Amino acid sequence: MTPQIIGTYFVCLSLIIGSGFVLVGVIGLLKFNDPMTRLHAPTKVGTVGIGMLLIASIIHSFDIGEPSTHELLIMGFLFVTAPISANFIAKVNIHRRACDTPPEPPRDDTWSTLNAPVEDGDAVAQK
C-alpha cells in the first residue's frame, strides 16, 4: 500500500465520522423543543463533526502534495467561538425568562475551604 492510499482511507474515515457527528447534531437541533436543550446539539456535536471534516481536508491536502494549514485556523476559531456563542445564547434565554431558571444553590460556607461541614449530630456531640 502506498502512502496515498493510506491517506485516502484516513480521509474517508474522517469524512464518515464527521458526517455522522454533523447528522446527529442536525437531528438534535430539529428534535428538541426547548431552546436550552436545542443549544447543545449544534455546539457540542457539531464542533466535533466540523473538526473531523477539517481534519479530512488537511489530510487530503497533504496527500495530494499541496499542504494547507488554513484548516487549523478555522478549527481554532470554531473551537473558541462555539462555546462563547452558546454561553451568550443561554444567557439571553435566561434573561428573557424563556426557560426554567436553575434553582438557587444551597448556602454552604465550606465549598471552597478544607473545613468539613458540621452535621447536626456532630454539633450536638461536640457540645
Side-chain angles (χ1 to χ4, degrees):
M1 282 191 159
T2 64
Q4 286 184 334
I5 293 174
I6 294 171
T8 303
Y9 286 141
F10 280 125
V11 168
C12 291
L13 184 65
S14 296
L15 286 174
I16 290 170
I17 292 171
S19 298
F21 274 104
V22 170
L23 181 66
V24 168
V26 168
I27 290 171
L29 184 64
L30 295 175
K31 185 153 178 77
F32 293 134
N33 296 327
D34 183 23
M36 293 296 273
T37 56
R38 185 180 288 173
L39 179 68
H40 291 286
T43 56
K44 307 298 184 272
V45 178
T47 303
V48 175
I50 300 290
M52 289 301 290
L53 296 177
L54 289 170
I55 287 173
S57 178
I58 291 171
I59 295 171
H60 179 68
S61 67
F62 277 102
D63 194 27
I64 62 173
E66 298 175 8
S68 172
T69 56
H70 293 99
E71 291 87 355
L72 293 175
L73 293 172
I74 296 169
M75 232 184 296
F77 182 74
L78 179 70
F79 290 159
V80 167
T81 57
I84 294 170
S85 63
N87 186 19
F88 284 154
I89 292 170
K91 280 186 174 188
V92 166
N93 281 318
I94 289 172
H95 287 296
R96 289 181 58 206
R97 307 233 186 258
C99 62
D100 294 334
T101 57
E104 289 293 322
R107 181 78 176 129
D108 185 12
D109 293 331
T110 61
W111 71 271
S112 65
T113 65
L114 296 176
N115 297 335
V118 176
E119 299 292 328
D120 291 333
D122 293 339
V124 173
Q126 290 176 356
K127 288 182 182 180

PDB file of all heavy atoms in Angstrom, residues 64-90:
ATOM      1  N   ILE A  64      -2.301  14.984  -1.571  1.00  0.00           N
ATOM      2  CA  ILE A  64      -2.111  15.343  -2.982  1.00  0.00           C
ATOM      3  C   ILE A  64      -0.849  16.167  -3.199  1.00  0.00           C
ATOM      4  O   ILE A  64      -0.516  16.503  -4.335  1.00  0.00           O
ATOM      5  CB  ILE A  64      -3.343  16.091  -3.544  1.00  0.00           C
ATOM      6  CG1 ILE A  64      -3.583  17.403  -2.813  1.00  0.00           C
ATOM      7  CG2 ILE A  64      -4.560  15.197  -3.522  1.00  0.00           C
ATOM      8  CD1 ILE A  64      -4.668  18.261  -3.423  1.00  0.00           C
ATOM      9  N   GLY A  65      -0.151  16.486  -2.143  1.00  0.00           N
ATOM     10  CA  GLY A  65       1.131  17.170  -2.274  1.00  0.00           C
ATOM     11  C   GLY A  65       1.071  18.678  -2.223  1.00  0.00           C
ATOM     12  O   GLY A  65       2.045  19.349  -2.528  1.00  0.00           O
ATOM     13  N   GLU A  66      -0.046  19.238  -1.842  1.00  0.00           N
ATOM     14  CA  GLU A  66      -0.191  20.687  -1.692  1.00  0.00           C
ATOM     15  C   GLU A  66      -0.613  20.986  -0.261  1.00  0.00           C
ATOM     16  O   GLU A  66      -1.788  21.198   0.017  1.00  0.00           O
ATOM     17  CB  GLU A  66      -1.224  21.229  -2.678  1.00  0.00           C
ATOM     18  CG  GLU A  66      -0.850  21.012  -4.127  1.00  0.00           C
ATOM     19  CD  GLU A  66      -1.954  21.446  -5.069  1.00  0.00           C
ATOM     20  OE1 GLU A  66      -2.940  22.049  -4.592  1.00  0.00           O
ATOM     21  OE2 GLU A  66      -1.832  21.168  -6.259  1.00  0.00           O
ATOM     22  N   PRO A  67       0.345  20.979   0.669  1.00  0.00           N
ATOM     23  CA  PRO A  67      -0.025  21.151   2.085  1.00  0.00           C
ATOM     24  C   PRO A  67      -0.734  22.472   2.349  1.00  0.00           C
ATOM     25  O   PRO A  67      -0.362  23.514   1.828  1.00  0.00           O
ATOM     26  CB  PRO A  67       1.302  21.099   2.823  1.00  0.00           C
ATOM     27  CG  PRO A  67       2.340  20.755   1.844  1.00  0.00           C
ATOM     28  CD  PRO A  67       1.763  20.848   0.481  1.00  0.00           C
ATOM     29  N   SER A  68      -1.781  22.381   3.151  1.00  0.00           N
ATOM     30  CA  SER A  68      -2.552  23.555   3.532  1.00  0.00           C
ATOM     31  C   SER A  68      -2.869  23.456   5.014  1.00  0.00           C
ATOM     32  O   SER A  68      -3.341  22.421   5.483  1.00  0.00           O
ATOM     33  CB  SER A  68      -3.848  23.634   2.733  1.00  0.00           C
ATOM     34  OG  SER A  68      -4.674  24.647   3.228  1.00  0.00           O
ATOM     35  N   THR A  69      -2.599  24.515   5.733  1.00  0.00           N
ATOM     36  CA  THR A  69      -2.905  24.528   7.162  1.00  0.00           C
ATOM     37  C   THR A  69      -3.948  25.591   7.503  1.00  0.00           C
ATOM     38  O   THR A  69      -4.119  25.927   8.668  1.00  0.00           O
ATOM     39  CB  THR A  69      -1.623  24.775   7.977  1.00  0.00           C
ATOM     40  OG1 THR A  69      -1.015  25.981   7.534  1.00  0.00           O
ATOM     41  CG2 THR A  69      -0.660  23.617   7.822  1.00  0.00           C
ATOM     42  N   HIS A  70      -4.645  26.095   6.501  1.00  0.00           N
ATOM     43  CA  HIS A  70      -5.703  27.069   6.771  1.00  0.00           C
ATOM     44  C   HIS A  70      -6.801  26.451   7.635  1.00  0.00           C
ATOM     45  O   HIS A  70      -7.466  27.155   8.395  1.00  0.00           O
ATOM     46  CB  HIS A  70      -6.318  27.566   5.464  1.00  0.00           C
ATOM     47  CG  HIS A  70      -5.373  28.368   4.632  1.00  0.00           C
ATOM     48  ND1 HIS A  70      -4.685  27.834   3.574  1.00  0.00           N
ATOM     49  CD2 HIS A  70      -4.990  29.653   4.717  1.00  0.00           C
ATOM     50  CE1 HIS A  70      -3.929  28.752   3.031  1.00  0.00           C
ATOM     51  NE2 HIS A  70      -4.090  29.887   3.718  1.00  0.00           N
ATOM     52  N   GLU A  71      -6.973  25.144   7.514  1.00  0.00           N
ATOM     53  CA  GLU A  71      -8.000  24.466   8.285  1.00  0.00           C
ATOM     54  C   GLU A  71      -7.718  24.539   9.782  1.00  0.00           C
ATOM     55  O   GLU A  71      -8.650  24.535  10.586  1.00  0.00           O
ATOM     56  CB  GLU A  71      -8.117  23.009   7.853  1.00  0.00           C
ATOM     57  CG  GLU A  71      -8.677  22.825   6.468  1.00  0.00           C
ATOM     58  CD  GLU A  71      -7.610  22.889   5.367  1.00  0.00           C
ATOM     59  OE1 GLU A  71      -6.430  23.171   5.687  1.00  0.00           O
ATOM     60  OE2 GLU A  71      -7.965  22.675   4.212  1.00  0.00           O
ATOM     61  N   LEU A  72      -6.453  24.595  10.158  1.00  0.00           N
ATOM     62  CA  LEU A  72      -6.119  24.724  11.578  1.00  0.00           C
ATOM     63  C   LEU A  72      -6.611  26.057  12.144  1.00  0.00           C
ATOM     64  O   LEU A  72      -7.080  26.125  13.281  1.00  0.00           O
ATOM     65  CB  LEU A  72      -4.614  24.581  11.792  1.00  0.00           C
ATOM     66  CG  LEU A  72      -4.028  23.203  11.503  1.00  0.00           C
ATOM     67  CD1 LEU A  72      -2.510  23.242  11.638  1.00  0.00           C
ATOM     68  CD2 LEU A  72      -4.621  22.181  12.435  1.00  0.00           C
ATOM     69  N   LEU A  73      -6.513  27.111  11.338  1.00  0.00           N
ATOM     70  CA  LEU A  73      -7.033  28.406  11.778  1.00  0.00           C
ATOM     71  C   LEU A  73      -8.553  28.371  11.911  1.00  0.00           C
ATOM     72  O   LEU A  73      -9.123  28.918  12.859  1.00  0.00           O
ATOM     73  CB  LEU A  73      -6.615  29.502  10.795  1.00  0.00           C
ATOM     74  CG  LEU A  73      -5.130  29.808  10.727  1.00  0.00           C
ATOM     75  CD1 LEU A  73      -4.838  30.770   9.581  1.00  0.00           C
ATOM     76  CD2 LEU A  73      -4.661  30.387  12.031  1.00  0.00           C
ATOM     77  N   ILE A  74      -9.195  27.713  10.954  1.00  0.00           N
ATOM     78  CA  ILE A  74     -10.652  27.588  11.011  1.00  0.00           C
ATOM     79  C   ILE A  74     -11.063  26.793  12.248  1.00  0.00           C
ATOM     80  O   ILE A  74     -11.993  27.158  12.967  1.00  0.00           O
ATOM     81  CB  ILE A  74     -11.190  26.917   9.729  1.00  0.00           C
ATOM     82  CG1 ILE A  74     -10.913  27.796   8.516  1.00  0.00           C
ATOM     83  CG2 ILE A  74     -12.675  26.626   9.849  1.00  0.00           C
ATOM     84  CD1 ILE A  74     -11.156  27.108   7.189  1.00  0.00           C
ATOM     85  N   MET A  75     -10.342  25.694  12.510  1.00  0.00           N
ATOM     86  CA  MET A  75     -10.642  24.865  13.673  1.00  0.00           C
ATOM     87  C   MET A  75     -10.446  25.638  14.975  1.00  0.00           C
ATOM     88  O   MET A  75     -11.264  25.553  15.890  1.00  0.00           O
ATOM     89  CB  MET A  75      -9.756  23.620  13.671  1.00  0.00           C
ATOM     90  CG  MET A  75     -10.511  22.347  13.824  1.00  0.00           C
ATOM     91  SD  MET A  75      -9.473  20.896  13.939  1.00  0.00           S
ATOM     92  CE  MET A  75      -8.694  20.844  12.376  1.00  0.00           C
ATOM     93  N   GLY A  76      -9.358  26.374  15.062  1.00  0.00           N
ATOM     94  CA  GLY A  76      -9.114  27.168  16.260  1.00  0.00           C
ATOM     95  C   GLY A  76     -10.201  28.202  16.482  1.00  0.00           C
ATOM     96  O   GLY A  76     -10.692  28.386  17.598  1.00  0.00           O
ATOM     97  N   PHE A  77     -10.598  28.888  15.406  1.00  0.00           N
ATOM     98  CA  PHE A  77     -11.670  29.875  15.509  1.00  0.00           C
ATOM     99  C   PHE A  77     -12.980  29.211  15.926  1.00  0.00           C
ATOM    100  O   PHE A  77     -13.711  29.727  16.771  1.00  0.00           O
ATOM    101  CB  PHE A  77     -11.835  30.601  14.169  1.00  0.00           C
ATOM    102  CG  PHE A  77     -12.883  31.665  14.179  1.00  0.00           C
ATOM    103  CD1 PHE A  77     -12.646  32.867  14.823  1.00  0.00           C
ATOM    104  CD2 PHE A  77     -14.092  31.473  13.555  1.00  0.00           C
ATOM    105  CE1 PHE A  77     -13.607  33.862  14.842  1.00  0.00           C
ATOM    106  CE2 PHE A  77     -15.059  32.455  13.564  1.00  0.00           C
ATOM    107  CZ  PHE A  77     -14.817  33.649  14.206  1.00  0.00           C
ATOM    108  N   LEU A  78     -13.268  28.056  15.354  1.00  0.00           N
ATOM    109  CA  LEU A  78     -14.505  27.346  15.676  1.00  0.00           C
ATOM    110  C   LEU A  78     -14.518  26.878  17.125  1.00  0.00           C
ATOM    111  O   LEU A  78     -15.519  27.030  17.835  1.00  0.00           O
ATOM    112  CB  LEU A  78     -14.666  26.151  14.738  1.00  0.00           C
ATOM    113  CG  LEU A  78     -15.882  25.273  14.931  1.00  0.00           C
ATOM    114  CD1 LEU A  78     -17.120  26.028  14.499  1.00  0.00           C
ATOM    115  CD2 LEU A  78     -15.736  24.003  14.142  1.00  0.00           C
ATOM    116  N   PHE A  79     -13.408  26.322  17.595  1.00  0.00           N
ATOM    117  CA  PHE A  79     -13.358  25.807  18.963  1.00  0.00           C
ATOM    118  C   PHE A  79     -13.380  26.926  20.003  1.00  0.00           C
ATOM    119  O   PHE A  79     -13.758  26.695  21.146  1.00  0.00           O
ATOM    120  CB  PHE A  79     -12.130  24.933  19.171  1.00  0.00           C
ATOM    121  CG  PHE A  79     -12.204  23.618  18.445  1.00  0.00           C
ATOM    122  CD1 PHE A  79     -11.051  22.910  18.172  1.00  0.00           C
ATOM    123  CD2 PHE A  79     -13.408  23.087  18.036  1.00  0.00           C
ATOM    124  CE1 PHE A  79     -11.106  21.693  17.510  1.00  0.00           C
ATOM    125  CE2 PHE A  79     -13.480  21.869  17.379  1.00  0.00           C
ATOM    126  CZ  PHE A  79     -12.321  21.175  17.120  1.00  0.00           C
ATOM    127  N   VAL A  80     -12.989  28.133  19.623  1.00  0.00           N
ATOM    128  CA  VAL A  80     -13.033  29.255  20.558  1.00  0.00           C
ATOM    129  C   VAL A  80     -14.410  29.914  20.550  1.00  0.00           C
ATOM    130  O   VAL A  80     -14.947  30.262  21.597  1.00  0.00           O
ATOM    131  CB  VAL A  80     -11.927  30.285  20.220  1.00  0.00           C
ATOM    132  CG1 VAL A  80     -12.137  31.574  20.962  1.00  0.00           C
ATOM    133  CG2 VAL A  80     -10.569  29.707  20.539  1.00  0.00           C
ATOM    134  N   THR A  81     -15.008  30.075  19.379  1.00  0.00           N
ATOM    135  CA  THR A  81     -16.253  30.832  19.298  1.00  0.00           C
ATOM    136  C   THR A  81     -17.501  30.018  19.616  1.00  0.00           C
ATOM    137  O   THR A  81     -18.494  30.590  20.077  1.00  0.00           O
ATOM    138  CB  THR A  81     -16.423  31.454  17.906  1.00  0.00           C
ATOM    139  OG1 THR A  81     -16.386  30.414  16.921  1.00  0.00           O
ATOM    140  CG2 THR A  81     -15.336  32.467  17.635  1.00  0.00           C
ATOM    141  N   ALA A  82     -17.511  28.714  19.390  1.00  0.00           N
ATOM    142  CA  ALA A  82     -18.722  27.921  19.638  1.00  0.00           C
ATOM    143  C   ALA A  82     -19.128  27.934  21.108  1.00  0.00           C
ATOM    144  O   ALA A  82     -20.308  28.170  21.413  1.00  0.00           O
ATOM    145  CB  ALA A  82     -18.541  26.499  19.124  1.00  0.00           C
ATOM    146  N   PRO A  83     -18.228  27.712  22.066  1.00  0.00           N
ATOM    147  CA  PRO A  83     -18.671  27.774  23.468  1.00  0.00           C
ATOM    148  C   PRO A  83     -19.094  29.174  23.901  1.00  0.00           C
ATOM    149  O   PRO A  83     -20.022  29.331  24.697  1.00  0.00           O
ATOM    150  CB  PRO A  83     -17.446  27.320  24.257  1.00  0.00           C
ATOM    151  CG  PRO A  83     -16.564  26.637  23.301  1.00  0.00           C
ATOM    152  CD  PRO A  83     -16.850  27.222  21.966  1.00  0.00           C
ATOM    153  N   ILE A  84     -18.444  30.190  23.376  1.00  0.00           N
ATOM    154  CA  ILE A  84     -18.795  31.559  23.750  1.00  0.00           C
ATOM    155  C   ILE A  84     -20.175  31.916  23.219  1.00  0.00           C
ATOM    156  O   ILE A  84     -21.002  32.486  23.938  1.00  0.00           O
ATOM    157  CB  ILE A  84     -17.724  32.545  23.244  1.00  0.00           C
ATOM    158  CG1 ILE A  84     -16.406  32.287  23.964  1.00  0.00           C
ATOM    159  CG2 ILE A  84     -18.173  33.986  23.424  1.00  0.00           C
ATOM    160  CD1 ILE A  84     -15.229  33.028  23.389  1.00  0.00           C
ATOM    161  N   SER A  85     -20.456  31.560  21.977  1.00  0.00           N
ATOM    162  CA  SER A  85     -21.779  31.864  21.425  1.00  0.00           C
ATOM    163  C   SER A  85     -22.862  31.057  22.143  1.00  0.00           C
ATOM    164  O   SER A  85     -23.963  31.559  22.369  1.00  0.00           O
ATOM    165  CB  SER A  85     -21.811  31.599  19.921  1.00  0.00           C
ATOM    166  OG  SER A  85     -21.577  30.235  19.653  1.00  0.00           O
ATOM    167  N   ALA A  86     -22.556  29.816  22.522  1.00  0.00           N
ATOM    168  CA  ALA A  86     -23.531  29.023  23.273  1.00  0.00           C
ATOM    169  C   ALA A  86     -23.819  29.662  24.630  1.00  0.00           C
ATOM    170  O   ALA A  86     -24.968  29.693  25.082  1.00  0.00           O
ATOM    171  CB  ALA A  86     -23.012  27.600  23.457  1.00  0.00           C
ATOM    172  N   ASN A  87     -22.784  30.184  25.269  1.00  0.00           N
ATOM    173  CA  ASN A  87     -22.962  30.858  26.555  1.00  0.00           C
ATOM    174  C   ASN A  87     -23.829  32.099  26.392  1.00  0.00           C
ATOM    175  O   ASN A  87     -24.724  32.352  27.210  1.00  0.00           O
ATOM    176  CB  ASN A  87     -21.600  31.215  27.137  1.00  0.00           C
ATOM    177  CG  ASN A  87     -21.698  31.773  28.532  1.00  0.00           C
ATOM    178  OD1 ASN A  87     -22.693  31.596  29.218  1.00  0.00           O
ATOM    179  ND2 ASN A  87     -20.649  32.439  28.966  1.00  0.00           N
ATOM    180  N   PHE A  88     -23.602  32.886  25.356  1.00  0.00           N
ATOM    181  CA  PHE A  88     -24.413  34.086  25.135  1.00  0.00           C
ATOM    182  C   PHE A  88     -25.868  33.734  24.844  1.00  0.00           C
ATOM    183  O   PHE A  88     -26.782  34.390  25.339  1.00  0.00           O
ATOM    184  CB  PHE A  88     -23.844  34.925  23.997  1.00  0.00           C
ATOM    185  CG  PHE A  88     -22.611  35.702  24.373  1.00  0.00           C
ATOM    186  CD1 PHE A  88     -21.683  36.060  23.409  1.00  0.00           C
ATOM    187  CD2 PHE A  88     -22.367  36.076  25.674  1.00  0.00           C
ATOM    188  CE1 PHE A  88     -20.556  36.772  23.750  1.00  0.00           C
ATOM    189  CE2 PHE A  88     -21.241  36.784  26.024  1.00  0.00           C
ATOM    190  CZ  PHE A  88     -20.337  37.139  25.049  1.00  0.00           C
ATOM    191  N   ILE A  89     -26.100  32.707  24.034  1.00  0.00           N
ATOM    192  CA  ILE A  89     -27.473  32.305  23.727  1.00  0.00           C
ATOM    193  C   ILE A  89     -28.173  31.819  24.993  1.00  0.00           C
ATOM    194  O   ILE A  89     -29.346  32.135  25.238  1.00  0.00           O
ATOM    195  CB  ILE A  89     -27.485  31.228  22.629  1.00  0.00           C
ATOM    196  CG1 ILE A  89     -27.007  31.838  21.305  1.00  0.00           C
ATOM    197  CG2 ILE A  89     -28.873  30.630  22.457  1.00  0.00           C
ATOM    198  CD1 ILE A  89     -26.755  30.822  20.216  1.00  0.00           C
ATOM    199  N   ALA A  90     -27.465  31.059  25.833  1.00  0.00           N
ATOM    200  CA  ALA A  90     -28.063  30.596  27.088  1.00  0.00           C
ATOM    201  C   ALA A  90     -28.387  31.767  28.009  1.00  0.00           C
ATOM    202  O   ALA A  90     -29.451  31.800  28.633  1.00  0.00           O
ATOM    203  CB  ALA A  90     -27.111  29.619  27.777  1.00  0.00           C
TER     204      ALA A  90
END
